Amino acid sequence: MNSIILKAATRLLSGIVLVFAVYLLWRGHHAPGGGFIAALVAATGFALVALAEGPNTVRRGLYVAPQHLIGVGIGLAMCSGLLAVLQDKPFLSGIWWPPRNALIGTPLLFDLGVFLVVLGAILTILLALEDT
């Protein structure tokens, strides 16, 4: 698309959308939100850039193939579950660091894995559709 208005709005909105996706990811293990919805919001930002600037701009901005995001996300989600098993707890039990403050924990790692899987899948489909 060659719309000057769309390109100008994309420059403003895509950053805001990605920051909002990070916010949803961060608060997801304590409140509604999480990896799935954050990935959908982030994919919306990438889709907006792909519509305004073209799919090659999105590819250059990613630095990695979207398929690699899927693999890393599955590995991260599995590792978050295995950390509990290593401490003799059931698979996917929550473990937090530091234990008393609960800043970072396995729920956040699992949400990050889900985020990467969903974002990688959506971007793979989106970029394949944009090429045709």
Side-chain angles (χ1 to χ4, degrees):
M1 225 180 241
N2 290 328
S3 172
I4 296 171
I5 296 171
L6 179 63
K7 287 183 181 185
T10 298
R11 288 187 187 107
L12 177 68
L13 290 176
S14 61
I16 294 170
V17 167
L18 292 176
V19 168
F20 183 61
V22 170
Y23 168 73
L24 286 174
L25 176 67
W26 180 256
R27 74 182 289 268
H29 63 284
H30 289 300
F36 188 81
I37 190 66
L40 293 178
V41 170
T44 303
F46 284 112
L48 187 60
V49 172
L51 284 173
E53 304 288 338
N56 289 330
T57 304
V58 174
R59 282 193 186 90
R60 282 192 310 267
L62 285 176
Y63 300 110
V64 296
Q67 296 87 355
H68 295 148
L69 294 176
I70 297 170
V72 170
I74 290 173
L76 192 58
M78 289 297 294
C79 286
S80 72
L82 292 175
L83 287 173
V85 172
L86 293 174
Q87 293 188 357
D88 293 328
K89 294 183 179 180
F91 185 71
L92 287 177
S93 293
I95 300 171
W96 286 268
W97 303 282
R100 295 182 191 262
N101 292 337
L103 291 176
I104 298 175
T106 55
L108 180 61
L109 295 177
F110 181 79
D111 280 341
L112 185 59
V114 170
F115 175 83
L116 292 174
V117 169
V118 173
L119 183 63
I122 292 173
L123 287 178
T124 299
I125 294 168
L126 176 75
L127 294 174
L129 289 173
E130 287 283 331
D131 285 339
T132 58

